[in-house]
Amino acid sequence: MKKEPSESQGKWEKGSPEDPEEERTPSPSLPSSSHMTMTPGEQLPSAQLQALLLRAVKGLTTPTLERFQAAQEELRTIVSLHGDKMERVRDVVGRILIWLDNVCDPRARQTALRATALLARSHPQDVVLSCVAHTLPSDR
């Protein structure tokens, strides 16, 4: 029996065949008090990229499926398009790991960990050092 890949699994692979060019264009950002948005081809300062990424991670805990999916897509887009240009990756990953300590939703946790793994492709040393410095609870 052929095992079907999960719907979102291929979307997290950089350059994945399931990731057509039109999906690489940034999605509209989630509603918030912040007015930061991404537009195609725009180069955002690292601090704004970090703020967008962390806002998308926090959006994963939204109560509606539609908003969760929007946050998931925004996070994937930010990391896929701009992850290699990010600075202070250790701080970002550290904040994601602290956030994970307080989140029980397995979908949100999996999405945040996928983003962290994708960041590791461009910043392996920073991600590994941040993970080693932070211990996740073993009961999840």
Side-chain angles (χ1 to χ4, degrees):
M1 174 182 245
K2 183 178 175 185
K3 186 176 180 182
E4 293 294 321
S6 72
E7 180 181 313
S8 62
Q9 183 178 3
K11 291 182 179 183
W12 286 91
E13 299 296 323
K14 197 170 189 175
S16 165
E18 293 181 39
D19 194 9
E21 194 62 37
E22 62 269 9
E23 283 190 311
R24 291 182 191 215
T25 58
S27 60
S29 53
L30 297 172
S32 75
S33 59
S34 169
H35 294 290
M36 294 183 293
T37 58
M38 298 185 322
T39 56
E42 182 179 4
Q43 295 299 319
L44 296 175
S46 184
Q48 281 186 318
L49 284 174
Q50 291 172 20
L52 281 170
L53 185 139
L54 292 170
R55 189 182 76 206
V57 167
K58 290 176 184 176
L60 295 172
T61 57
T62 186
T64 66
L65 180 60
E66 182 179 277
R67 293 187 93 190
F68 169 82
Q69 289 172 336
Q72 182 182 38
E73 180 63 20
E74 184 173 40
L75 181 60
R76 186 192 64 80
T77 300
I78 293 165
V79 175
S80 295
L81 295 179
H82 303 287
D84 59 336
K85 300 172 201 87
M86 288 190 73
E87 298 170 4
R88 300 178 52 118
V89 173
R90 272 191 229 176
D91 293 341
V92 170
V93 172
R95 291 177 71 181
I96 291 171
L97 294 173
I98 290 169
W99 176 85
L100 283 169
D101 285 342
N102 301 305
V103 175
C104 296
D105 179 6
R107 293 177 313 161
R109 293 176 61 80
Q110 182 180 35
T111 300
L113 289 171
R114 282 183 176 162
T116 302
L118 193 53
L119 275 174
R121 290 182 175 183
S122 299
H123 307 279
Q125 186 172 3
D126 290 331
V127 171
V128 168
L129 289 174
S130 186
C131 289
V132 167
H134 184 89
T135 304
L136 290 174
S138 60
D139 63 340
R140 295 191 187 187

